[in-house]
Protein backbone atom coordinates (compact mmCIF):
# COMPACT_ATOMS: atom_id res chain seq x y z
CA UNK A 1 0.00 0.00 0.00
CA UNK A 2 2.99 2.32 0.44
CA UNK A 3 6.28 2.65 2.24
CA UNK A 4 4.60 3.36 5.60
CA UNK A 5 2.01 0.59 5.26
CA UNK A 6 0.50 -0.42 8.62
CA UNK A 7 2.95 1.66 10.63
CA UNK A 8 1.59 3.55 13.62
CA UNK A 9 2.61 7.19 13.48
CA UNK A 10 2.03 10.12 15.85
CA UNK A 11 2.19 13.70 14.59
CA UNK A 12 1.94 16.49 17.15
CA UNK A 13 0.15 19.70 16.17
CA UNK A 14 -1.47 18.40 13.00
CA UNK A 15 -4.61 20.50 12.67
CA UNK A 16 -2.88 23.10 10.51
CA UNK A 17 0.14 23.75 8.31
CA UNK A 18 3.12 21.43 8.23
CA UNK A 19 1.82 18.87 10.75
CA UNK A 20 -1.40 18.44 8.80
CA UNK A 21 0.52 17.88 5.55
CA UNK A 22 2.82 15.32 7.20
CA UNK A 23 -0.13 13.47 8.74
CA UNK A 24 -1.89 13.23 5.37
CA UNK A 25 1.29 12.21 3.54
CA UNK A 26 1.89 9.42 6.07
CA UNK A 27 -1.70 8.25 5.67
CA UNK A 28 -1.40 8.28 1.86
CA UNK A 29 1.60 5.99 2.26
CA UNK A 30 -0.44 3.55 4.34
CA UNK A 31 0.25 4.57 7.95
CA UNK A 32 -2.32 4.68 10.73
CA UNK A 33 -2.03 8.21 12.06
CA UNK A 34 -2.70 9.68 15.50
CA UNK A 35 -2.38 13.39 16.05
CA UNK A 36 -3.00 16.07 18.65
CA UNK A 37 -3.81 19.75 18.69
CA UNK A 38 -4.53 22.51 21.17
CA UNK A 39 -7.68 24.37 20.06
CA UNK A 40 -8.82 23.48 16.54
CA UNK A 41 -11.60 21.00 17.37
CA UNK A 42 -13.42 21.28 14.01
CA UNK A 43 -10.21 21.06 12.00
CA UNK A 44 -9.24 17.96 14.01
CA UNK A 45 -12.54 16.25 13.21
CA UNK A 46 -12.15 17.12 9.51
CA UNK A 47 -8.57 15.81 9.39
CA UNK A 48 -9.54 12.58 11.14
CA UNK A 49 -12.23 12.03 8.52
CA UNK A 50 -9.84 12.86 5.68
CA UNK A 51 -7.25 10.39 6.97
CA UNK A 52 -9.87 7.66 7.39
CA UNK A 53 -11.03 8.40 3.84
CA UNK A 54 -7.59 7.24 2.71
CA UNK A 55 -8.36 3.76 4.08
CA UNK A 56 -6.25 3.87 7.25
CA UNK A 57 -7.02 4.46 10.93
CA UNK A 58 -6.91 7.86 12.60
CA UNK A 59 -7.02 9.08 16.20
CA UNK A 60 -7.34 12.71 17.29
CA UNK A 61 -6.49 14.05 20.76
CA UNK A 62 -6.89 17.46 22.29
CA UNK A 63 -3.65 17.46 24.29
CA UNK A 64 -1.12 20.15 25.11
CA UNK A 65 2.39 18.95 24.13
CA UNK A 66 3.73 20.80 27.16
CA UNK A 67 1.94 18.37 29.48
CA UNK A 68 3.93 15.15 30.03
CA UNK A 69 0.99 13.35 31.63
CA UNK A 70 -1.19 14.11 28.59
CA UNK A 71 1.61 12.95 26.27
CA UNK A 72 1.89 9.65 28.16
CA UNK A 73 -1.86 9.09 28.07
CA UNK A 74 -1.99 9.77 24.33
CA UNK A 75 1.00 7.56 23.52
CA UNK A 76 -0.41 4.69 25.58
CA UNK A 77 -3.84 5.00 23.95
CA UNK A 78 -2.27 4.99 20.48
CA UNK A 79 -0.16 1.94 21.31
CA UNK A 80 -3.27 0.08 22.48
CA UNK A 81 -5.19 0.97 19.31
CA UNK A 82 -2.47 0.68 16.63
CA UNK A 83 -0.40 -2.06 18.30
CA UNK A 84 2.89 -0.17 17.88
CA UNK A 85 4.31 3.30 17.55
CA UNK A 86 6.77 3.22 14.67
CA UNK A 87 7.08 6.95 14.13
CA UNK A 88 6.80 10.16 16.13
CA UNK A 89 6.87 13.59 14.53
CA UNK A 90 7.43 16.37 17.05
CA UNK A 91 5.91 19.16 15.00
CA UNK A 92 3.77 21.30 17.34
CA UNK A 93 5.28 24.72 17.73
CA UNK A 94 4.61 28.41 18.07
CA UNK A 95 6.36 31.76 17.94
CA UNK A 96 6.13 34.81 20.20
CA UNK A 97 8.46 37.11 18.25
CA UNK A 98 9.74 40.21 20.03
CA UNK A 99 13.02 42.02 20.42
CA UNK A 100 14.98 40.81 23.43
CA UNK A 101 14.47 44.03 25.32
CA UNK A 102 10.69 43.72 24.93
CA UNK A 103 10.46 39.98 25.59
CA UNK A 104 8.64 38.93 28.74
CA UNK A 105 9.41 35.91 30.89
CA UNK A 106 6.13 34.44 29.64
CA UNK A 107 7.13 34.89 25.96
CA UNK A 108 10.37 33.09 26.72
CA UNK A 109 8.86 30.31 28.82
CA UNK A 110 5.90 29.51 26.54
CA UNK A 111 8.06 29.17 23.41
CA UNK A 112 10.51 26.89 25.25
CA UNK A 113 7.65 24.91 26.79
CA UNK A 114 5.87 24.14 23.54
CA UNK A 115 8.74 23.86 21.03
CA UNK A 116 11.36 22.16 23.20
CA UNK A 117 9.74 20.60 26.27
CA UNK A 118 6.85 19.44 24.07
CA UNK A 119 9.25 17.37 21.96
CA UNK A 120 10.96 16.02 25.09
CA UNK A 121 7.60 15.00 26.54
CA UNK A 122 6.50 12.99 23.51
CA UNK A 123 9.93 11.42 22.98
CA UNK A 124 10.03 10.55 26.69
CA UNK A 125 6.61 8.94 26.44
CA UNK A 126 7.29 6.97 23.23
CA UNK A 127 10.98 6.05 23.34
CA UNK A 128 10.71 3.14 25.75
CA UNK A 129 8.17 1.27 23.66
CA UNK A 130 10.23 1.92 20.52
CA UNK A 131 13.33 0.60 22.28
CA UNK A 132 11.46 -2.53 23.38
CA UNK A 133 10.23 -3.08 19.82
CA UNK A 134 13.78 -2.40 18.56
CA UNK A 135 12.43 -0.08 15.90
CA UNK A 136 11.17 3.45 15.57
CA UNK A 137 11.83 6.82 14.01
CA UNK A 138 11.56 10.17 15.74
CA UNK A 139 11.51 13.32 13.66
CA UNK A 140 11.87 16.74 15.29
CA UNK A 141 10.66 19.73 13.30
CA UNK A 142 13.10 22.52 13.91
CA UNK A 143 14.01 25.72 12.09
CA UNK A 144 16.94 27.45 10.48
CA UNK A 145 16.29 30.01 13.24
CA UNK A 146 17.95 27.44 15.51
CA UNK A 147 20.93 27.14 13.16
CA UNK A 148 21.74 30.75 12.31
CA UNK A 149 19.68 32.73 14.86
CA UNK A 150 17.05 35.28 13.85
CA UNK A 151 16.63 38.77 15.28
CA UNK A 152 13.32 39.03 17.11
CA UNK A 153 13.35 35.31 17.87
CA UNK A 154 15.70 34.90 20.83
CA UNK A 155 13.21 32.52 22.47
CA UNK A 156 12.40 30.57 19.28
CA UNK A 157 16.04 30.34 18.11
CA UNK A 158 17.00 28.99 21.55
CA UNK A 159 14.19 26.43 21.53
CA UNK A 160 14.90 25.26 17.98
CA UNK A 161 18.68 25.08 18.60
CA UNK A 162 17.86 23.05 21.71
CA UNK A 163 15.85 20.70 19.56
CA UNK A 164 18.88 20.11 17.33
CA UNK A 165 21.08 19.24 20.32
CA UNK A 166 18.33 17.00 21.66
CA UNK A 167 18.01 15.24 18.28
CA UNK A 168 21.71 14.38 18.21
CA UNK A 169 21.87 13.28 21.85
CA UNK A 170 18.81 11.07 21.38
CA UNK A 171 20.22 9.64 18.15
CA UNK A 172 23.39 8.63 20.01
CA UNK A 173 21.46 7.18 22.92
CA UNK A 174 18.83 5.25 20.99
CA UNK A 175 20.66 4.14 17.84
CA UNK A 176 21.79 0.78 19.21
CA UNK A 177 18.20 0.02 20.14
CA UNK A 178 17.10 0.43 16.52
CA UNK A 179 15.55 3.86 17.03
CA UNK A 180 16.52 6.64 14.62
CA UNK A 181 16.19 10.34 15.47
CA UNK A 182 16.43 13.10 12.88
CA UNK A 183 15.46 16.74 12.47
CA UNK A 184 14.09 18.88 9.66
CA UNK A 185 15.41 22.45 9.79
CA UNK A 186 12.84 24.43 7.86
CA UNK A 187 13.13 27.84 6.29
CA UNK A 188 10.11 30.00 5.47
CA UNK A 189 7.16 27.73 4.71
CA UNK A 190 3.75 29.20 3.82
CA UNK A 191 1.48 28.46 6.81
CA UNK A 192 -0.52 30.43 9.40
CA UNK A 193 2.75 30.95 11.27
CA UNK A 194 4.44 32.82 8.41
CA UNK A 195 1.22 34.52 7.27
CA UNK A 196 1.44 36.46 10.54
CA UNK A 197 4.75 38.08 9.49
CA UNK A 198 4.62 41.74 8.50
CA UNK A 199 4.93 42.26 4.71
CA UNK A 200 8.23 44.11 5.19
CA UNK A 201 9.76 41.07 6.93
CA UNK A 202 8.39 38.72 4.25
CA UNK A 203 10.04 40.76 1.50
CA UNK A 204 13.34 40.89 3.42
CA UNK A 205 13.22 37.10 3.90
CA UNK A 206 12.41 36.50 0.25
CA UNK A 207 15.46 38.49 -0.82
CA UNK A 208 17.69 36.07 1.14
CA UNK A 209 16.34 32.85 -0.41
CA UNK A 210 18.44 31.56 -3.35
CA UNK A 211 15.47 29.67 -4.83
CA UNK A 212 13.51 32.94 -4.78
CA UNK A 213 10.31 31.73 -3.15
CA UNK A 214 8.86 30.60 0.17
CA UNK A 215 8.41 26.87 0.61
CA UNK A 216 5.06 25.12 0.81
CA UNK A 217 3.96 22.24 3.00
CA UNK A 218 4.27 20.04 -0.11
CA UNK A 219 8.01 20.79 -0.06
CA UNK A 220 8.25 19.32 3.45
CA UNK A 221 5.86 16.36 3.80
CA UNK A 222 7.55 13.88 1.41
CA UNK A 223 10.94 14.28 3.14
CA UNK A 224 9.29 13.79 6.52
CA UNK A 225 7.57 10.62 5.30
CA UNK A 226 10.82 9.37 3.80
CA UNK A 227 12.69 9.84 7.10
CA UNK A 228 9.96 7.88 8.91
CA UNK A 229 10.20 5.02 6.40
CA UNK A 230 12.55 2.04 6.28
CA UNK A 231 14.14 3.55 3.16
CA UNK A 232 15.93 5.91 5.58
CA UNK A 233 17.10 3.05 7.82
CA UNK A 234 20.76 4.22 7.85
CA UNK A 235 19.99 7.89 8.55
CA UNK A 236 20.10 9.09 12.13
CA UNK A 237 21.24 12.27 13.87
CA UNK A 238 20.78 14.19 10.62
CA UNK A 239 19.52 17.75 10.44
CA UNK A 240 18.09 18.15 6.96
CA UNK A 241 17.50 21.69 5.79
CA UNK A 242 14.45 22.47 3.66
CA UNK A 243 14.91 26.17 3.19
CA UNK A 244 15.41 27.02 -0.48
CA UNK A 245 19.12 27.48 0.28
CA UNK A 246 18.60 30.27 2.81
CA UNK A 247 20.88 29.03 5.57
CA UNK A 248 23.81 27.53 3.67
P1 LIG B 1 1.00 26.46 12.49
O1 LIG B 1 0.39 26.56 11.13
O2 LIG B 1 0.93 27.63 13.41
O3 LIG B 1 0.37 25.16 13.22
C1 LIG B 1 0.78 24.83 14.51
C2 LIG B 1 0.13 23.54 14.94
O4 LIG B 1 0.62 23.21 16.26
C3 LIG B 1 -1.38 23.61 15.06
O5 LIG B 1 -1.93 22.37 14.67
C4 LIG B 1 -1.61 23.85 16.56
O6 LIG B 1 -2.85 23.37 17.04
C5 LIG B 1 -0.48 23.02 17.15
N1 LIG B 1 -0.08 23.44 18.49
C6 LIG B 1 0.37 24.67 18.87
N2 LIG B 1 0.63 24.66 20.19
C7 LIG B 1 0.32 23.42 20.65
C8 LIG B 1 0.36 22.79 21.92
N3 LIG B 1 0.78 23.46 23.01
N4 LIG B 1 -0.03 21.51 22.02
C9 LIG B 1 -0.46 20.82 20.92
N5 LIG B 1 -0.52 21.36 19.70
C10 LIG B 1 -0.14 22.65 19.56
O7 LIG B 1 2.57 26.10 12.41
P2 LIG B 1 3.45 25.53 11.19
O8 LIG B 1 3.96 26.68 10.43
O9 LIG B 1 2.75 24.42 10.51
O10 LIG B 1 4.69 24.97 12.03
C11 LIG B 1 4.83 23.60 12.37
C12 LIG B 1 6.23 23.39 12.94
O11 LIG B 1 7.20 23.78 11.97
C13 LIG B 1 6.53 24.22 14.19
O12 LIG B 1 7.32 23.46 15.08
C14 LIG B 1 7.30 25.38 13.64
O13 LIG B 1 8.14 25.95 14.62
C15 LIG B 1 8.10 24.69 12.56
N6 LIG B 1 8.60 25.60 11.54
C16 LIG B 1 7.73 26.30 10.75
C17 LIG B 1 8.24 27.17 9.79
C18 LIG B 1 7.36 27.95 8.87
O14 LIG B 1 7.90 28.75 8.10
N7 LIG B 1 6.05 27.77 8.88
C19 LIG B 1 9.62 27.33 9.68
C20 LIG B 1 10.47 26.62 10.50
C21 LIG B 1 9.93 25.75 11.42
P3 LIG B 1 -4.19 24.30 17.04
O15 LIG B 1 -4.63 24.38 15.59
O16 LIG B 1 -5.16 23.58 17.87
O17 LIG B 1 -3.76 25.63 17.58
Amino acid sequence: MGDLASKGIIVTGATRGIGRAIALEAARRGANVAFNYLQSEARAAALKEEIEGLGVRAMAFRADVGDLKAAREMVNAVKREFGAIDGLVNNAGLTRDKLLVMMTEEDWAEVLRVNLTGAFNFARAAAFMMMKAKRGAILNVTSISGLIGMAGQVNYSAAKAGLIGMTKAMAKELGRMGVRVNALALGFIETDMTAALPEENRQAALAMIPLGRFGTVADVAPTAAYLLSDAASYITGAVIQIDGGLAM
Side-chain angles (χ1 to χ4, degrees):
M1 194 172 155
D3 56 358
L4 296 178
S6 305
K7 287 191 189 285
I9 289 181
I10 292 178
V11 183
T12 68
T15 38
R16 293 182 279 125
I18 293 156
R20 184 173 188 282
I22 293 174
L24 283 167
E25 184 72 22
R28 262 180 235 114
R29 294 176 188 225
N32 298 314
V33 179
F35 65 90
N36 74 331
Y37 62 99
L38 193 61
Q39 287 166 343
S40 308
E41 200 84 57
R43 284 171 182 270
L47 178 62
K48 183 170 182 290
E49 213 175 289
E50 201 172 335
I51 292 172
E52 285 166 348
L54 293 165
V56 294
R57 283 186 281 166
M59 297 175 82
F61 297 80
R62 185 173 202 158
D64 187 335
V65 290
D67 178 348
L68 178 59
K69 187 168 168 279
R72 284 198 161 117
E73 282 168 8
M74 175 172 163
V75 164
N76 290 335
V78 175
K79 168 84 164 53
R80 278 196 303 274
E81 184 66 22
F82 292 172
I85 294 173
D86 304 286
L88 163 66
V89 184
N90 283 314
N91 165 79
L94 51 77
T95 51
R96 292 274 185 276
D97 293 359
K98 258 173 217 165
L99 294 175
L100 172 63
V101 292
M102 306 294 286
M103 194 171 282
T104 64
E105 268 183 292
E106 288 72 28
D107 296 328
W108 169 263
E110 181 62 1
V111 166
L112 269 286
R113 189 185 78 87
V114 175
N115 291 279
L116 186 57
T117 307
F120 165 79
N121 287 345
F122 271 81
R124 178 69 182 80
F128 193 63
M129 52 184 75
M130 288 180 172
M131 285 160 62
K132 262 176 76 181
K134 297 214 179 314
R135 68 167 199 274
I138 298 175
L139 183 60
N140 295 320
V141 181
T142 182
S143 164
I144 57 158
S145 186
L147 286 173
I148 60 174
M150 295 273 188
Q153 292 197 318
V154 164
N155 49 2
Y156 187 74
S157 294
K160 293 304 197 187
L163 210 43
I164 291 170
M166 196 165 93
T167 298
K168 293 179 181 179
M170 282 187 194
K172 287 184 176 170
E173 217 176 288
L174 302 178
R176 285 183 193 273
M177 266 77 74
V179 181
R180 298 181 297 103
V181 189
N182 292 293
L184 290 181
L186 307 180
F188 288 88
I189 309 295
E190 299 278 12
T191 66
D192 291 351
M193 188 178 273
T194 42
L197 288 173
E199 189 51 31
E200 197 182 312
N201 298 24
R202 286 175 63 87
Q203 288 309 321
L206 207 50
M208 296 190 300
I209 302 171
L211 288 182
R213 64 170 178 88
F214 288 122
T216 68
V217 296
D219 292 313
V220 178
T223 306
Y226 166 72
L227 287 169
L228 294 170
S229 78
D230 295 340
S233 63
Y234 202 54
I235 302 178
T236 197
V239 181
I240 296 181
Q241 286 175 229
I242 304 180
D243 65 353
L246 202 170
M248 67 177 129

